Amino acid sequence: LVDAHDRIIAVLGGVPPGSKGKEWEAVEAEAAAAAMCCRESSTFTEAQKHGRRGEFASRTVGYGYGNGRRKPQNYKVSGRANQRAVQELLQNTAIRRISGFQNALFNTFCHKNYVEHRDTNEEVQRKQPELRANFLHSAFAATTFNLGPLSFSPPHMDPENRASSWCADTNMGPFDPDKGGHLVLWDLGLIIRFPPGSTILFPSALITHSTIPIQAHERRYAIIQYSSGGLFRWRDNGF
């Protein structure tokens, strides 16, 4: 998607062009099964089940800066069972492949921003080695897993994310993408068909967005990578 000056403002990344036949469908199915397993193996607070982004369980991992934090900090996952469940999710091969595809799209279509993210992460982690990266080669500092079972959101923005950057959003099924799960970009007047296994990158801090509900018997999960804007301010202020 481009603006009036042909600047890329969002990318409908779809699936990896090199995937053959049902290969990526198998990746998506494995990732969805891993998300379901994580949800069933975890406990959630009421805030984690009923947030402003929707009525579904979610888990955020990685690190960020803002909301009263005095310095960049890891997002806390309480309880050994919850920590074990999310680590198994992060180590899942299909989840890691999705993360890699998100990262490749970011690098391809927004390279300067990608480099700035990567360099900021390296600098922040060098200053604070206790910060934990979710994925080895990801330029994003944080990951939120929407663990459903019915992950769809009302109109909202994500003001903590960096305004001049994108978030990378991949959803997982099983659900019928012709009957629900569409991404709505309200400020652009767009309703986008968003099949399981597909990836979209867009500036979630600037564009009001939502997802259309799926059918009651279906399931929808999502993996979203992003970086909080505070990390860049922290870096620019010289720590």
Side-chain angles (χ1 to χ4, degrees):
L1 304 178
V2 298
D3 66 10
H5 301 283
D6 284 334
R7 294 173 295 200
I8 301 173
I9 56 175
V11 173
L12 311 184
V15 302
S19 59
K20 298 178 181 179
K22 295 186 178 299
E23 177 186 354
W24 195 251
E25 292 180 15
V27 171
E28 179 272 323
E30 180 185 341
M36 181 180 68
C37 182
C38 180
R39 182 180 185 278
E40 293 177 347
S41 302
S42 304
T43 57
F44 301 91
T45 65
E46 288 303 306
Q48 291 166 341
K49 293 188 294 184
H50 309 287
R52 67 179 183 85
R53 294 180 178 88
E55 298 293 313
F56 53 83
S58 66
R59 184 78 75 205
T60 296
V61 287
Y63 57 89
Y65 176 57
N67 280 340
R69 298 179 182 89
R70 298 186 177 218
K71 62 179 182 178
Q73 292 179 345
N74 293 311
Y75 292 109
K76 185 177 181 181
V77 178
S78 299
R80 291 185 179 179
N82 291 337
Q83 293 168 2
R84 182 168 56 251
V86 78
Q87 284 305 312
E88 290 177 355
L89 187 59
L90 289 170
Q91 294 301 318
N92 180 270
T93 300
I95 293 293
R96 292 166 71 87
R97 288 186 68 178
I98 290 172
S99 168
F101 181 50
Q102 292 180 335
N103 207 53
L105 287 171
F106 188 29
N107 188 15
T108 299
F109 290 97
C110 199
H111 177 67
K112 291 182 179 180
N113 215 326
Y114 169 88
V115 170
E116 188 175 16
H117 277 60
R118 183 197 63 195
D119 292 348
T120 297
N121 283 342
E122 291 177 355
E123 187 171 354
V124 171
Q125 291 176 29
R126 186 169 59 251
K127 295 283 187 177
Q128 294 181 231
E130 74 277 8
L131 296 177
R132 297 188 299 269
N134 294 320
F135 305 104
L136 184 60
H137 299 297
S138 179
F140 299 102
T143 306
T144 292
F145 293 100
N146 292 343
L147 299 174
L150 301 175
S151 298
F152 55 87
S153 301
H156 69 283
M157 292 189 292
D158 301 308
E160 295 175 17
N161 295 359
R162 195 181 190 207
S164 60
S165 184
W166 295 338
C167 74
D169 186 350
T170 302
N171 65 5
M172 301 165 285
F175 65 90
D176 185 342
D178 292 325
K179 297 181 179 179
H182 300 64
L183 177 66
V184 183
L185 301 180
W186 290 84
D187 304 297
L188 304 182
L190 294 175
I191 300 175
I192 302 167
R193 186 176 182 271
F194 198 3
S198 298
T199 295
I200 296 177
L201 295 90
F202 68 99
S204 62
L206 295 180
I207 296 178
T208 301
H209 55 283
S210 63
T211 43
I212 292 176
I214 59 176
Q215 299 177 87
H217 65 279
E218 295 177 327
R219 298 292 180 266
R220 181 181 183 274
Y221 312 95
I223 169 175
I224 303 111
Q225 291 197 85
Y226 54 93
S227 290
S228 64
L231 292 173
F232 301 87
R233 293 193 299 273
W234 179 260
R235 179 208 60 191
D236 292 341
N237 290 333
F239 302 93

